[in-house]
Amino acid sequence: MANEFELIRRHFARPTPAALLGPGDDCALLVPAAGSVLAVTTDMLVEGTHFLPDTDPCALGWKTLAVSLSDLAAMGARPRWVLLAGSFPAADEPWIAQFAAGLFACAGSHAVDVVGGDMTRGPRNLCLTAIGEVPADTALRRDRALPGDDIWLSGPTGLAALGLAHLQERVHLGEALRGTCLAALQRPLPRVELGIRLRDLAHAAIDVSDGLLADLGHVVEQSRAGAEISLDLLPPLPTGVEPLLARRCQLAGGDDYELLFTAAVSRRDDLVALAGELQLPLCRCGRILPAPVGEIRVVDASGRRVHFDDRGFDHFA
Amino acid sequence: MANEFELIRRHFARPTPAALLGPGDDCALLVPAAGSVLAVTTDMLVEGTHFLPDTDPCALGWKTLAVSLSDLAAMGARPRWVLLAGSFPAADEPWIAQFAAGLFACAGSHAVDVVGGDMTRGPRNLCLTAIGEVPADTALRRDRALPGDDIWLSGPTGLAALGLAHLQERVHLGEALRGTCLAALQRPLPRVELGIRLRDLAHAAIDVSDGLLADLGHVVEQSRAGAEISLDLLPPLPTGVEPLLARRCQLAGGDDYELLFTAAVSRRDDLVALAGELQLPLCRCGRILPAPVGEIRVVDASGRRVHFDDRGFDHFA
């Protein structure tokens, strides 16, 4: 097997037009745009925890970058640069080559430069750090939801969780739904352009990575507010799946990477127009309440409260 | 065991005065200084590859940050912000607490804010990303060494490798030397202040993480030059160790995190004065040659060439 420098040169060293200095030195050198604030996030994906050992490496390369770009999108930041650190078993070069192909496919679709990284031997583990830019004072934060705000979703949630359940043989999906769900699980689409457009429209935003209720929970806790989700406003559940499982996935399944955001009622028309422009099924599904702080009421079509305990995914629970 | 959010809150959430927004949102928000360039680096430390399973977690916390600050130092950058991603086995909270104590001890000694991160379950793996600032056009790069430059080291190399050999029972060190070598291995001191002062003095710089000859090799390859190292100019070998082993560690042992830099002959007096001011044993140990490109000649006191093949550490060799 080639040495680490050769592996990096072969698979990860590509032109970095957005960097002053790319891979190959002790650090990358980057020139931030004047007047912008940096948004920075790091995510670690571990084999056996975040992905199965037989996951397609190309899809995984895409997803490794996509989940971090989704964090940038949730702040309204434009992605600029990423760094990738990875540990791999020996003799893993074909796997690495496919992983890199997926990673650069995602990078190319968002004009992001891979400016640096690290490569070492060990159990498969991928750590991606992404850096984006957002004009000062326009970043979307979790703690800025206001009572009376509408709650919006950029698309359906729960599809990735259904895809995972299918792979784990806990459910059998028909062919069409399987394709949709596996795509949601394996090639999530970070809502980068939406995040940028929401800078002036939304009050608060988060990406749905742990589950709809869990992530909305972060918003209401940090905003010192409560929330109500109306089941009949949520995107329709997929057919051909046991409805209770589908609902559980919708409310508590992780890994979707849709944006959840809040906006004033007065912005409904703007958001409907934006949905058409970006061709995204933006969905208004609830509202922010003044109290009780941290509590989320899930209600049915008649406004009756539905109890639902399973909030989402936690790595150490 | 506490959940991941609680673990982060307990052990990693500390005030972040240098950040606009610290941990707890999708991204951290950072305001770069006007006119500065960002230096960014990421390093992954894997149990079994970079550290032994019984390594003291507090020392490891220190070292995890120190090795990345050393990369910033090698660019002449002032460290500002870091992000930490880690995977840990279940029920690891006492280990995590000690690790965090060591990490924040190092962060505090350099006024660095831990602005974000990720925590997940898996084999122990730590990935640290560090961001520093350097005024435009003053960053120290590997590819700027000039023929005729002196080669300097910020201190002795090989001590960390001797410490590791002692822990692996390949050598037995006496008490005093053992203490020095284990400190070099476990609590390296990143040469941050030296790197900043070298912005106007040095032509090229790198930190010695893979070994003196390996890292000098990166400098000469990227600078399209050659080099000569004079054994009699290097720091004296430690006594009480078999001299050939000591020499091998000095030239090829990794993990020292001293700076290797090149500077014009005309700056010798400035560098001797700087050594006194910073209380560092700066050592002039060779020179950059116009050719052969990429070749390092090691010579003895009489100028005779000494053959030495073992260049350093490579994770996939």
Side-chain angles (χ1 to χ4, degrees):
Chain A
M1 187 169 176
N3 73 29
E4 60 187 294
F5 304 110
E6 182 62 19
L7 285 174
I8 291 170
R9 194 191 63 74
R10 276 191 209 155
H11 302 293
F12 294 102
R14 307 223 184 158
T16 54
L20 183 61
L21 183 67
D25 211 309
D26 293 286
C27 294
L29 294 175
L30 314 174
V31 184
S36 71
V37 165
L38 299 172
V40 188
T41 180
T42 191
D43 286 286
M44 182 172 269
L45 299 182
V46 181
E47 183 171 279
T49 303
H50 300 87
F51 60 93
L52 304 171
D54 62 352
T55 297
D56 170 47
C58 184
L60 186 65
W62 174 284
K63 184 167 177 173
T64 298
L65 179 52
V67 301
S68 291
L69 298 189
S70 178
D71 281 324
L72 296 182
M75 304 297 288
R78 181 179 295 283
R80 297 290 311 277
W81 310 286
V82 303
L83 302 97
L84 174 77
S87 74
F88 307 94
D92 220 6
E93 188 161 359
W95 195 97
I96 290 171
Q98 289 184 63
F99 176 87
L103 181 85
F104 281 101
C106 188
S109 71
H110 293 282
V112 167
D113 279 1
V114 180
V115 297
D118 192 13
M119 183 175 285
T120 182
R121 191 184 287 203
R124 278 200 197 111
N125 182 312
L126 303 152
C127 185
L128 196 130
T129 301
I131 307 174
E133 293 180 320
V134 55
D137 298 323
T138 67
L140 298 168
R141 299 167 51 150
R142 297 180 178 182
D143 60 358
R144 299 293 161 91
L146 295 175
D149 277 1
D150 291 325
I151 298 170
W152 293 78
L153 272 175
S154 63
T157 58
L159 300 180
L162 282 175
L164 180 63
H166 178 87
L167 291 181
Q168 294 175 331
E169 300 183 352
R170 292 185 285 116
V171 66
H172 180 79
L173 303 179
E175 195 175 329
L177 182 57
R178 182 166 69 229
T180 306
C181 291
L182 291 181
L185 177 67
Q186 295 169 340
R187 294 205 177 242
L189 297 172
R191 303 305 182 189
V192 170
E193 207 51 41
L194 175 63
I196 291 168
R197 298 293 295 274
L198 289 178
R199 289 171 186 165
D200 304 319
L201 288 171
H203 287 151
I206 191 169
D207 70 328
V208 182
S209 55
D210 293 330
L212 171 52
L213 294 186
D215 288 309
L216 177 56
H218 298 314
V219 170
V220 294
E221 277 155 27
Q222 295 191 27
S223 297
R224 312 305 301 156
E228 181 180 274
I229 290 289
S230 301
L231 293 181
D232 65 316
L233 293 179
L234 286 170
L237 296 177
T239 54
V241 187
E242 201 272 301
L244 196 62
L245 173 68
R247 185 65 84 189
R248 183 177 301 275
C249 288
Q250 181 182 53
L251 294 177
D255 251 10
D256 282 300
Y257 307 101
E258 295 294 348
L259 293 189
L260 180 154
F261 57 96
T262 82
V265 172
S266 61
R267 310 314 292 265
R268 285 182 188 175
D269 290 348
D270 296 323
L271 286 162
V272 169
L274 183 63
E277 189 186 335
L278 298 182
Q279 295 281 296
L280 286 174
L282 301 189
C283 166
R284 182 171 58 79
C285 60
R287 57 199 176 107
I288 298 294
L289 304 175
V293 168
E295 191 175 302
I296 302 168
R297 295 162 47 90
V298 180
V299 299
D300 65 15
S302 62
R304 246 198 325 247
R305 187 155 183 191
V306 180
H307 281 281
F308 192 87
D309 284 339
D310 182 10
R311 269 211 172 183
F313 193 74
D314 162 36
H315 284 295
F316 291 94
Chain B
M1 189 169 174
N3 73 28
E4 59 187 294
F5 305 109
E6 181 63 17
L7 285 174
I8 291 169
R9 195 192 62 72
R10 276 191 208 153
H11 303 294
F12 294 101
R14 307 223 183 159
T16 55
L20 183 61
L21 183 67
D25 211 309
D26 293 287
C27 294
L29 294 175
L30 314 174
V31 183
S36 71
V37 165
L38 299 172
V40 188
T41 179
T42 192
D43 287 287
M44 181 172 268
L45 299 182
V46 181
E47 184 170 279
T49 303
H50 300 86
F51 61 93
L52 304 170
D54 61 353
T55 297
D56 169 47
C58 184
L60 186 64
W62 174 284
K63 183 167 177 172
T64 298
L65 179 51
V67 301
S68 291
L69 297 189
S70 178
D71 281 324
L72 296 182
M75 304 297 287
R78 182 178 295 283
R80 297 290 311 278
W81 310 285
V82 303
L83 300 97
L84 173 77
S87 74
F88 307 93
D92 220 6
E93 188 161 358
W95 195 96
I96 291 171
Q98 289 184 61
F99 176 86
L103 181 85
F104 281 101
C106 187
S109 71
H110 293 282
V112 167
D113 279 0
V114 180
V115 297
D118 193 12
M119 183 176 287
T120 182
R121 191 184 286 202
R124 277 200 197 111
N125 182 313
L126 303 152
C127 185
L128 196 129
T129 302
I131 306 174
E133 293 179 320
V134 54
D137 298 324
T138 67
L140 298 168
R141 299 166 51 150
R142 297 180 178 182
D143 60 359
R144 298 293 161 92
L146 295 176
D149 276 1
D150 291 324
I151 298 170
W152 294 78
L153 272 176
S154 63
T157 58
L159 299 181
L162 282 175
L164 181 63
H166 177 87
L167 291 181
Q168 294 175 332
E169 300 183 350
R170 292 185 283 115
V171 65
H172 180 80
L173 304 179
E175 197 174 325
L177 182 58
R178 182 166 69 229
T180 306
C181 291
L182 290 181
L185 178 67
Q186 296 168 340
R187 294 207 177 241
L189 297 172
R191 303 304 183 190
V192 170
E193 207 50 41
L194 174 64
I196 291 169
R197 298 293 296 274
L198 289 179
R199 288 171 186 164
D200 304 318
L201 288 171
H203 287 152
I206 193 170
D207 70 328
V208 182
S209 54
D210 293 329
L212 171 52
L213 294 186
D215 288 309
L216 178 56
H218 297 314
V219 171
V220 295
E221 277 155 26
Q222 295 191 26
S223 297
R224 311 305 300 156
E228 181 180 273
I229 290 289
S230 301
L231 294 181
D232 65 316
L233 293 178
L234 287 171
L237 296 177
T239 54
V241 188
E242 201 271 301
L244 196 62
L245 173 67
R247 184 66 84 192
R248 183 178 301 275
C249 287
Q250 180 183 52
L251 294 177
D255 251 10
D256 282 301
Y257 306 103
E258 296 294 348
L259 292 188
L260 181 153
F261 56 95
T262 82
V265 172
S266 62
R267 311 313 293 266
R268 285 183 189 177
D269 289 348
D270 296 322
L271 286 162
V272 169
L274 183 63
E277 188 186 336
L278 297 182
Q279 296 282 296
L280 286 175
L282 301 189
C283 166
R284 182 171 59 78
C285 59
R287 58 200 175 106
I288 298 295
L289 304 174
V293 168
E295 191 175 303
I296 302 170
R297 296 162 46 91
V298 179
V299 299
D300 64 16
S302 62
R304 246 196 326 245
R305 188 156 184 189
V306 180
H307 280 283
F308 192 86
D309 284 337
D310 182 11
R311 269 212 172 185
F313 193 73
D314 161 36
H315 284 296
F316 290 94

